[in-house]
Amino acid sequence: MMSFLGAKDMGIDLGTANTLIYLKDAGIVLNEPSVIAIDKRRDVVVAVGKKAKAMIGKAPANINVIRPLRDGVISDFERTADMLKAFIDKAVTSNRIRNFRVVVGVPSGVTNVEQKAVEEVVRQMGASDVYILSEPMAAALGAGLDVDSSTACMIVDIGGGTTDIAIIDLGGIVNSTSIRHAGDKFNEAIINYVRKRYSLNIGEKTAERLKIEVGTACMDLDEDGNEIIESVSASGLDLLTGLPKAIDITNRDIMLGLQESIDMVIDGIRATIEEAEPEVAADIANNGMVLTGGGGLIHNLDKLIEKRTGIKARVAENAFEAVAMGTGLSFNDVERLKVHASTVKRR
C-alpha cells in the first residue's frame, strides 16, 4: 500500500463488526473486522482484523480473541485503542502521522460518556481535532443524500451492533430511532434457528456466511409463483450425537430465522415515521428511504420494507462503505461539519 503520510483528514467508521478508514484524496484505505487477538501470557497483540477473526473458535488457550465493541459501543477501551492503533498504522503505513483531523461515526443513541470514550481512543492515536458524527448522518452524506435540503430524507443504517433510523431535514436529524439489534443479532438468530430446527450447533462465522450467501428477507418466486429455493452446506456439531455434521441450509431457513429480527427493524422504521411531523412524513412518502450498512444488503429487504410500510426503499450503491465515506466527505465543508457533528473537540 502506498504511503499517505501527508494526509491530514481521516474518517473512521468504528463499527461493531468492521472498522473502515477513509483518507482524504485516497478514499477507503482499510476495511477490516473489528477483532483483536491477544497472547494472554505475554499480554501482546498477535493479530488484528481479518487474521484475528480467522482465529475465532479456533485459538489455543493462551490466545484471547476479542471483539472490543458490542452493540455499537466500546466494551473494552484498552483493546479498542490497541486495535485502532494497529489499523491506523496499517492505513498510513507509518506511526509517525500526528496532528491529523478525524471524524468518527458513532450510533445515534450513544451517550455522552460513550462519545468521550470514542474521542479518547482516537486522541491516543495523535489526532488533534476530533469530530463525532452520528452514523445516520454520516451514512446519508456517504450515500449522496442532500441532508441540507428543505425536503426531508430518510436513512436506515443497519450495522453490526445497531440499526440507526433517521429522518434528516435542513441539515439536522428531526426524528430518529436507534435499535441495538442488527447484524450480530441476525447471526445469533440464525444460530438459534439452525439449533432448534436441525439440532445442529453452528458457529458465528458460519451463521454470518449463511446470512451473506443465502440470507433473504422474503422469497423470490418463479413464473409459476413457486418459491425459488437455494441452499448451501453448513457444518457444525450434531447435538444428538455430539459429532461433526454437515447439512444443507436453504434461503427459506434463513428467512424464517431472520423473521423476528427483521420485524424489529421494520417496527423501528414505522415508529420513526409515525413520530414525524405531517409535512416531513409527506416528503418521506414521496421520496422513500435509503438502506445502508451490511444489514441493508440482505436480499429483498428493500422489497419487504416497501411491502410492509408502503414507502419506497432502495439500497445505496455503496451501502457497506456509506458511513466511512460520509465521515471522510464531511471534511469537504468543515463549517457544515461543525453544524452536523454532535461534538467538536480541539486541543
Side-chain angles (χ1 to χ4, degrees):
M1 182 184 294
M2 61 188 298
S3 173
F4 299 106
L5 193 59
K8 296 296 182 183
D9 296 334
M10 180 182 298
I12 300 176
D13 175 7
L14 188 59
T16 300
N18 287 74
T19 295
L20 287 79
I21 295 179
Y22 176 103
L23 290 181
K24 186 176 180 181
D25 301 325
I28 293 174
V29 296
L30 182 134
N31 179 356
E32 295 267 1
S34 299
V35 185
I36 184 170
I38 305 294
D39 186 328
K40 293 185 289 186
R41 295 172 184 168
R42 297 179 294 149
D43 193 30
V44 296
V45 177
V46 294
V48 295
K50 296 173 184 175
K51 291 182 179 179
K53 185 176 181 179
M55 298 180 180
I56 292 176
K58 298 181 178 180
N62 65 302
I63 302 296
N64 193 12
V65 183
I66 303 166
R67 294 184 60 188
L69 295 107
R70 287 287 177 183
D71 298 330
V73 298
I74 294 174
S75 58
D76 188 326
F77 180 88
E78 181 181 358
R79 296 314 179 191
T80 299
D82 290 339
M83 181 187 73
L84 191 54
K85 181 179 185 302
F87 284 158
I88 291 176
D89 287 350
K90 184 176 182 180
V92 301
T93 67
S94 170
N95 59 10
R96 297 191 302 274
I97 184 170
R98 287 294 181 268
N99 299 319
F100 54 97
R101 301 184 299 179
V102 177
V103 176
V104 187
V106 298
S108 59
V110 302
T111 65
N112 289 335
V113 172
E114 290 164 346
Q115 284 191 13
K116 288 187 179 296
V118 171
E119 180 202 343
E120 182 58 30
V121 167
V122 178
R123 285 207 180 280
Q124 287 188 8
M125 305 303 104
S128 56
D129 294 356
V130 182
Y131 300 84
I132 305 297
L133 190 63
S134 72
E135 285 183 352
M137 180 64 79
L141 289 168
L145 300 182
D146 185 359
V147 299
D148 293 309
S149 171
S150 60
T151 301
C153 59
M154 185 170 185
I155 195 87
V156 180
D157 181 55
I158 309 173
T162 60
T163 294
D164 284 297
I165 306 159
I167 297 175
I168 302 170
D169 193 16
L170 294 170
I173 294 176
V174 294
N175 297 92
S176 67
T177 303
S178 185
I179 306 169
R180 293 193 173 178
H181 195 104
D184 287 348
K185 291 293 195 298
F186 295 173
N187 295 343
E188 290 177 18
I190 292 169
I191 290 171
N192 292 335
Y193 177 86
V194 172
R195 181 188 294 122
K196 184 176 180 180
R197 174 72 175 82
Y198 294 107
S199 298
L200 186 73
N201 190 20
I202 60 173
E204 180 183 335
K205 287 193 295 184
T206 298
E208 184 176 25
R209 178 176 64 83
L210 291 171
K211 179 180 68 178
I212 292 170
E213 293 184 3
V214 290
T216 187
C218 60
M219 299 296 290
D220 289 315
L221 305 178
D222 62 20
E223 294 179 354
D224 297 323
N226 300 313
E227 293 181 348
I228 299 174
I229 301 295
E230 299 176 355
S231 66
V232 294
S233 178
S235 300
L237 195 65
D238 190 321
L239 297 176
L240 301 179
T241 66
L243 298 174
K245 181 180 178 181
I247 63 171
D248 287 336
I249 301 293
T250 70
N251 50 348
R252 192 168 213 287
D253 287 323
I254 305 303
M255 181 193 72
L256 294 173
L258 292 177
Q259 195 167 47
E260 185 175 345
S261 296
I262 289 175
D263 284 347
M264 292 183 67
V265 171
I266 294 176
D267 286 346
I269 291 171
R270 295 173 66 94
T272 306
I273 296 171
E274 287 170 1
E275 292 171 0
E277 293 292 335
E279 294 297 332
V280 171
D283 286 342
I284 303 307
N286 289 330
N287 300 316
M289 69 190 79
V290 176
L291 309 184
T292 60
L297 296 171
I298 291 176
H299 184 61
N300 283 342
L301 180 57
D302 52 344
K303 293 180 181 178
L304 183 62
I305 290 173
E306 184 170 352
K307 180 180 178 180
R308 297 271 295 275
T309 66
I311 298 172
K312 178 71 175 177
R314 68 176 178 86
V315 182
E317 291 183 6
N318 61 342
F320 195 84
E321 299 92 2
V323 170
M325 290 289 294
T327 58
L329 292 174
S330 64
F331 277 118
N332 291 341
D333 189 338
V334 175
E335 291 306 312
R336 189 174 70 168
L337 170 60
K338 292 176 182 178
V339 174
H340 292 160
S342 53
T343 59
V344 180
K345 301 288 184 181
R346 278 205 174 98
R347 279 179 176 167

